[in-house]
Each structure stands twice: as C-alpha cells, then as structure tokens.
Amino acid sequence: MNVDVVVVGGGIAGAACAYFLAQRGSVALLEGEDAFGYHATGRSAALFSEYFGSRPVRLLTAASRAFFEAPPGGFADAPLLSPRGVVALATESDVQTGRFDAALAAGRDARIAAFEITLDDARAMCPILAPHGYARALARPAVADIDVDALHQGFLRGVRARGGSTMRGEAVTAIRREAGVWHVVTAGGHAFATGRLVNAAGAWADDVAALAGAAPIGLMPKRRTAVLVDAAGDAHWRAALPTWPMVTNVADTFYFKPESGKLMVSPSDETPAPPCDAQPEELDVAIAVARLEAVTTLRVARVTHKWAGLRSVVADELPVLGEAPDAPGFFWAAALGGFGIQTAPAVGRAVAALVAGGALPDDVDETALSPAHVTKYASHDDDQGGI
C-alpha cells in the first residue's frame, strides 16, 4: 500500500502526529499491541501542567493549551480538561538549598503564575496533610486533569475521519529504504511504501530506528509506579476528596491526587528498565504507601490497584522531534518522558509541519528539540570523560 506517511506507534504521540498529518495527506498508523495506548499512554497521571519540566517542555505544554481548552468541533463529547491545581511542599532543607525558590521561579512564566501559600492554606486545600515536616508551600493553580481516553480516541477518530488507517496488532518487523522510498512490513503481513516515516514508538523507538538503519538516540526507559488506595478517614473528607488538589513536594519524591473516589499515589520512582510491559515492584508499592502516610494523617486501609509505566528519556531529558540527520525521510517523535500527553497537540502539530518540509511553529523551541541536540549532548559528555 502506498501512503504519504507511515506512523509507527499508536500511543498518544503517534496518534497526535497521525491526526495532524492526515490533514495533509494519506496516513497509516501502525500499533504493535492489540490495544492503542496500552503502555505509557494508558498508565499516566493524566495531568496538564505548564509548571513541570524544562523550559522547552513547558513551551510545548503552553502551546497545547488552546487545543485542550477548545478542541475542534466533534473531537470529544466532554471537556478534555477539568480543574485540579497542585500544592507543592518544601522542607527546611529545600528552602536552605534554594530548591523551593527555584521551583517558585520556574512556575512564574506559566499562564497563571505559581505563588507561595502558607502551610495553613495548604491544609485548608487538603485537610489530611500532617501538621509537621514541612516549612513552606507553593500553589500551581492552573494544573488540570486530562481526560486521556477522550484525547487519545479523538485523535484516532480524526485520523480515520480524514481517510487515514489505524491498525492494531501490526508490529513492524522490517524497514528498508530503496530509491528514496521507505518500505515497511508488519507482523500481520501488511506492506507499506512511503516517502516519510514517523517513529513514535515510545520505549521501542530505538528498536524501530535499528530496523531502519538509523542511529539510535540513546533512549532510557524508566519505570514509574502508581497505586490506588483506600484510606481510613471520616465521611467529611471523603465528600470533599474530589475537590482536593494534587499534592507533591519540590524534591519530587512523591505525589498523590484524587482519583475515582480514592487516592492515586506515586513514589515518583525512575528505575531504569528495558522496553517491556512494565509491572510494579512490591518495594515501590510499599514506598508509595509509606510516603503518603508520612505526609498525611491517613492510614492506608488497602491498595486496590497498582501499576507501572515507562517514561522514556534521552541523556538531556529533552524530547526528540524531527528528521534524523542520517536517515532522510525518517522522523523522530520520541523521548517525551512523562510529558507526552500534555504536550501531544503541540508535538503532533510540530511533527506534521516538519514532515511537510516546514519549520517548527514559533511557539516551539526548534533548537532544543531537534535530533541534533542528542548528538551535541553526547559530544559534550565525551569531552567531560563520560559517566
């Protein structure tokens, strides 16, 4: 089958890229699993925050806000965002080392700036917080929950509505380039010929590059654990639970937030792992529970669900978007770390522009996100003797 673009990977990044590419030509979106978004997309904290990540990531997030707030007609049946907010706590050590001031400063360029609140304010917003252990707190008011399934399905429906194909259970098994054309073969025996190939395969993106003969970008998948817990508490706070903010700390060693009448908790672990169907380790589950109990007055009655996902990064922890310097027509949409969902609209729009031969939009940092930054960072490490 001849198509203008093949997109490998049916998670949120691949779906977003295919959605915007389908405005410009024919697209085939290939997913190796039997369900779209089975790995990272389906296991995220589902948060939209212009306060998190490096400046290029925050710019991608800010550039995605308009889409989230006003998606195209018929894209979703309900709003994609709902208010949540974040309270971030700081210990005396965080204050003395400047970590608190740095977190506050990083949040000042958001659409609604982060600001300091008192510890009493924090407890008024989340009454289960313990009255000890922390010295200062800040609020990130514009953080919102994302309806990830609605976003993902909206992209997939949009691809099909624009004449593109979305195929599950079609792992790519072979890629070759011949006379300027990429030939892609899947496990199901389907074959595609295309001038442009987008690699949005998440933790497997370096494997896809190897099939294509492109140099890897040094992806490092990292496992993150989350649990859903029932906690002993009175009827009053249970009634107020849906209105609570997400609570974290400026050292990024835990977070918890309301989820389906319970609390979702993570120890913010980042354990290196191979590309795989990530599963939670019991130690990480125990750490999540312990950190929740240490910062609140709660005692966990039971863990009702537990899961893990992979956050894939490169050495400088910046996304990699654009054409591979050593493989004409091969485009990266990878290394999105834990920010893939909240940046998906801007990532999809940017990659579609690059595939069409244009430049990244003005609200996206082209220099920081180009695949060239991987090479530059590797060269810098070599100069320093490596790690």
Side-chain angles (χ1 to χ4, degrees):
M1 179 186 300
N2 294 320
V3 293
D4 293 319
V5 186
V6 169
V7 179
V8 181
I12 199 71
C17 290
Y19 174 83
F20 287 99
L21 286 163
Q23 293 178 315
R24 303 169 180 262
S26 57
V27 175
L29 173 65
L30 309 178
E31 169 56 49
E33 301 290 352
D34 291 333
F36 292 110
Y38 175 75
H39 292 287
T41 298
R43 309 181 193 192
S44 79
L47 214 66
F48 179 89
S49 173
E50 295 174 60
Y51 309 94
F52 294 159
S54 62
R55 186 173 185 278
V57 168
R58 297 199 303 273
L59 289 174
L60 281 172
T61 305
S64 297
R65 178 180 280 279
F67 188 98
F68 279 112
E69 292 183 334
F75 185 87
D77 296 332
L80 296 174
L81 299 181
S82 55
R84 175 59 58 199
V86 165
V87 168
L89 304 170
T91 63
E92 189 59 47
S93 175
D94 294 325
V95 174
Q96 293 174 357
T97 60
R99 185 181 281 131
F100 178 80
D101 287 338
L104 192 58
R108 288 194 176 122
D109 59 359
R111 186 178 66 106
I112 302 176
F115 57 91
E116 185 167 5
I117 59 176
T118 69
L119 293 177
D120 286 341
D121 291 334
R123 294 186 193 102
M125 297 166 71
C126 184
I128 60 171
L129 288 176
H132 56 77
Y134 289 90
R136 295 171 75 179
L138 63 86
R140 295 166 175 152
V143 174
D145 288 335
I146 302 173
D147 188 332
V148 176
D149 185 64
L151 178 68
H152 194 200
Q153 293 303 320
F155 284 140
L156 294 172
R157 280 195 307 272
V159 173
R160 295 189 287 266
R162 293 167 175 170
S165 59
T166 59
M167 305 175 69
R168 297 172 293 173
E170 294 290 347
V172 172
T173 57
I175 303 173
R176 77 178 195 282
R177 182 172 169 83
E178 187 175 292
V181 176
W182 289 103
H183 297 270
V184 181
V185 179
T186 72
H190 293 89
F192 299 87
T194 183
R196 301 289 185 270
L197 177 63
V198 174
N199 180 9
W204 288 263
D206 269 348
D207 294 341
V208 170
L211 288 175
I217 56 174
L219 272 176
M220 299 177 287
K222 297 184 178 182
R223 187 181 70 244
R224 174 154 293 188
T225 306
V227 300
L228 204 60
V229 302
D230 268 337
D234 60 35
H236 175 72
W237 76 250
R238 284 185 175 276
L241 177 63
T243 68
W244 291 354
M246 173 177 163
V247 176
T248 184
N249 62 350
V250 296
D252 193 27
T253 61
F254 75 88
Y255 67 78
F256 67 85
K257 58 174 280 197
E259 183 74 28
S260 305
K262 298 179 175 62
L263 286 176
M264 177 197 290
V265 190
S266 174
S268 298
D269 49 321
E270 292 188 334
T271 305
C276 65
D277 183 1
Q279 299 298 317
E281 298 284 344
E282 289 304 319
L283 176 60
D284 294 324
V285 171
I287 291 172
V289 171
R291 289 180 181 172
L292 173 68
E293 293 183 339
V295 75
T296 69
T297 57
L298 294 180
R299 290 299 172 263
V300 171
R302 65 189 180 108
V303 173
T304 62
H305 295 85
K306 54 188 176 182
W307 65 94
L310 296 179
R311 303 154 57 92
S312 297
V313 299
V314 291
D316 60 5
E317 298 192 355
L318 291 176
V320 180
L321 307 178
E323 189 171 19
D326 61 332
F330 183 96
F331 291 81
W332 291 94
L336 298 173
F339 308 103
I341 293 170
Q342 67 177 27
T343 62
V347 166
R349 179 166 54 94
V351 170
L354 292 172
V355 170
L360 285 172
D362 291 340
D363 52 7
V364 176
D365 190 338
E366 181 171 7
T367 301
L369 303 177
S370 163
H373 79 78
V374 179
T375 302
K376 290 176 182 176
Y377 192 86
S379 298
H380 176 76
D381 275 351
D382 289 343
D383 292 343
Q384 300 298 315
I387 56 175

